[in-house]
Amino acid sequence: MRGLNKVTLIGNLGNDPEFQKLEGNTSVAKFSLATTESYKDKYGQTHTTTDWHTVVLWRSLADLAYKYLQKGSLVYAEGRLKTRSYDDKEGSKRYVTEVVADQIIMLDKKAVDNE
Amino acid sequence: MRGLNKVTLIGNLGNDPEFQKLEGNTSVAKFSLATTESYKDKYGQTHTTTDWHTVVLWRSLADLAYKYLQKGSLVYAEGRLKTRSYDDKEGSKRYVTEVVADQIIMLDKKAVDNE
Amino acid sequence: MRGLNKVTLIGNLGNDPEFQKLEGNTSVAKFSLATTESYKDKYGQTHTTTDWHTVVLWRSLADLAYKYLQKGSLVYAEGRLKTRSYDDKEGSKRYVTEVVADQIIMLDKKAVDNE
Amino acid sequence: MRGLNKVTLIGNLGNDPEFQKLEGNTSVAKFSLATTESYKDKYGQTHTTTDWHTVVLWRSLADLAYKYLQKGSLVYAEGRLKTRSYDDKEGSKRYVTEVVADQIIMLDKKAVDNE
DNA sequence: TTTT
DNA sequence: TTTT
């Protein structure tokens, strides 16, 4: 009860969610989310940066995402940052940081009407 | 003005901040931050997970961090998620995700007294 | 540097923004924002609660709001909680709590196309 | 699933939590929380503003607060904004806005050691 | 790889 | 009404 680890994102999906059923019938979904921000440099010129995030969803949230979200959907996602390690094919350790979401708000008219 | 990319963390530094002056006299500081959460499993047993995050600070925030933070300090950090890529010594692409903080609140009595 | 006071809302405007120019040509805008949440009770029945918030914007954000937002617009608003007191016509003290926003993201297609 | 209503605060309690058992043995606790922010005006002078918030806790969180928090304690509180109305003794409607917290992190060494 |  |  002493730590806080929270991520909040609003952005568009870069791909359709990948969906999987794990052992024990647990659902997982994963997608890329692009967050785009504009800022003005000191010459008054507008620049745009895009950051890409890997969002992972479990259980009923994964089912919802698979059913209603698609490439291009606009969503609010809230969750926590989690860095996993794995061994690549050369046998060296690699790290990947993901956002494990526990809340999703669909911001597209389309998506919401379906709900 | 259409995206949101925000991370908020409360945790303890795992090391003293590494500090660097870049060209143009720009300050950068970097440290590892551990966020710890407890949860009860279905048998009522308490488990603890720790996530480690790389926090990067620029300019005056870097100076502050270098001056007042140290291994063990408790801080609130707020910023955005940023994934950089680089080529490792074998020439293959590697990715690293960092939290670029734009606000730090020092939560240690000690740190605050110094300020 | 020791406190945090942050509010984040996603909801729809309940009215067109009220806009005013104060002395010194400072812009202020104000609107009501409804945030709606659904939850299931212990009988599995879905309930919906709506909370209303007064959102206040200053300067260029006020101008933006006045130009692009209207009754029904969907927005993300971030800011801080502020309680003001005033004397009502009977001369007794009244309190009103507002969200002073420093960031607005327009989530309507319509609004964004105009920008 | 279309709205977001979230408040995050870091500050000190202005009083010991008031604690009550409601019908059905439900616990409620309430306290004032001060969030203090400093900023520099255009003359470089530092100013300090304090905002006061009413924080309400239910059930096990209320029990925790009553047990471990006291006047002066430093806490992180997260929850949602809720405006209630009531009739004052003159019979006119009054509104009060509270933060209904669903997460509390105790940031005092003291408090944490007790936990 | 998204969106405006 | 808090805290530094």
Side-chain angles (χ1 to χ4, degrees), chain C residues 14-61:
Chain C
N15 58 338
D16 288 345
E18 295 163 32
F19 185 81
Q20 243 184 305
K21 280 283 188 185
L22 300 187
E23 50 210 303
N25 209 32
T26 308
S27 307
V28 210
K30 190 180 283 201
F31 55 77
S32 284
L33 191 72
T35 57
T36 304
E37 277 168 303
S38 310
Y39 64 95
K40 290 212 169 83
D41 67 17
K42 52 187 174 179
Y43 309 106
Q45 192 117 23
T46 301
H47 294 264
T48 280
T49 3
T50 297
D51 291 302
W52 286 96
H53 312 90
T54 302
V55 176
V56 180
L57 302 152
W58 290 90
R59 280 167 286 268
S60 59
L61 261 190

Side-chain angles (χ1 to χ4, degrees), chain D residues 100-114:
Chain D
V100 182
D102 47 43
Q103 196 189 353
I104 289 283
I105 300 176
M106 304 176 193
L107 297 168
D108 280 322
K109 268 264 154 38
K110 216 171 26 177
V112 174
D113 290 346
N114 284 341

Side-chain angles (χ1 to χ4, degrees), chain D residues 13 17 31 64-71 73 75 104 106 111:
Chain D
L13 301 227
F31 54 76
L64 262 176
Y66 183 55
K67 210 163 153 194
Y68 296 124
L69 297 183
Q70 53 201 277
K71 187 174 174 170
S73 299
V75 301
I104 289 283
M106 304 176 193

